[in-house]
C-alpha cells in the first residue's frame, strides 16, 4: 500500500534545468531514507542523490554541484532539481524509499524519463 510516484521528466536542451518530483503515500518521515536513482539504456540503475530522515545529503560525483535533492515535508514530496544538464544525464529517473519497521522495506516509483538533447 506504500507508493512513491515520480513526475516532472521531459525533454530539455544541454545546459537546461528540470525539476523532478516524487510524491509519497506516507509521511516522508516514515522513511529512513529517500533517493533518486537513474538508469540509462543498456546500463544498470545507479544512485544519483539521497536524503536521510535526519536530512543528510549524498550525491553521485557525476551530479555533485549540478543537482540538488530536497523535500517538502507538508506535501510528502521530495524533489530533484537538475541544473546544467548534460546529454549523459539522459535516463529514466526513479524515486526510492526505504522504511525500517522491524524489517527493511524498499519502494520504487515507476520512473520518469529525462532526455537531454539539442
Amino acid at each position: 500500500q506504500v507508493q512513491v510516484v515520480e513526475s516532472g521528466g521531459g525533454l530539455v536542451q544541454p545546459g537546461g534545468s528540470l525539476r523532478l518530483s516524487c510524491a509519497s503515500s506516507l509521511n516522508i518521515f516514515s522513511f529512513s531514507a529517500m533517493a533518486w536513482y537513474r538508469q540509462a539504456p543498456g546500463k544498470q540503475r545507479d544512485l544519483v542523490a539521497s536524503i536521510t530522515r535526519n536530512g543528510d545529503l549524498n550525491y553521485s560525483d557525476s551530479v555533485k554541484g549540478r543537482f540538488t535533492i530536497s523535500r517538502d515535508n507538508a506535501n510528502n514530496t521530495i524533489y530533484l532539481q537538475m541544473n546544467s544538464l548534460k546529454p549523459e544525464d539522459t535516463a529514466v529517473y526513479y524515486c526510492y524509499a526505504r522504511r525500517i519497521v522491524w524489517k527493511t522495506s524498499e519502494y520504487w516509483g515507476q520512473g520518469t524519463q529525462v532526455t537531454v538533447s539539442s
Side-chain angles (χ1 to χ4, degrees), residues 3-112:
Q3 297 184 42
V4 290
V5 180
E6 308 95 332
S7 62
L11 175 64
V12 64
Q13 293 185 330
S17 297
L18 207 60
R19 189 177 78 161
L20 307 182
S21 300
C22 173
S24 170
S25 64
L26 296 181
N27 186 297
I28 59 175
F29 284 99
S30 299
F31 303 112
S32 62
M34 298 185 74
W36 289 96
Y37 285 75
R38 67 185 181 187
Q39 186 169 24
K43 298 186 177 181
Q44 67 179 32
R45 190 173 299 183
D46 293 324
L47 177 66
V48 175
S50 64
I51 182 168
T52 70
R53 180 185 288 122
N54 191 49
D56 295 324
L57 308 176
N58 185 60
Y59 296 94
S60 167
D61 287 341
S62 64
V63 307
K64 190 174 297 183
R66 299 187 297 120
F67 291 10
T68 303
I69 188 170
S70 62
R71 62 189 178 192
D72 182 341
N73 301 330
N75 291 303
N76 299 321
T77 301
I78 65 165
Y79 302 95
L80 185 68
Q81 178 66 48
M82 304 183 292
N83 298 325
S84 302
L85 283 161
K86 305 174 181 179
E88 51 262 44
D89 294 319
T90 296
V92 176
Y93 284 71
Y94 296 90
C95 184
Y96 166 90
R98 183 174 69 236
R99 189 185 186 198
I100 303 175
V101 184
W102 309 115
K103 177 185 177 181
T104 299
S105 297
E106 297 175 306
Y107 308 95
W108 290 95
Q110 81 286 355
T112 185

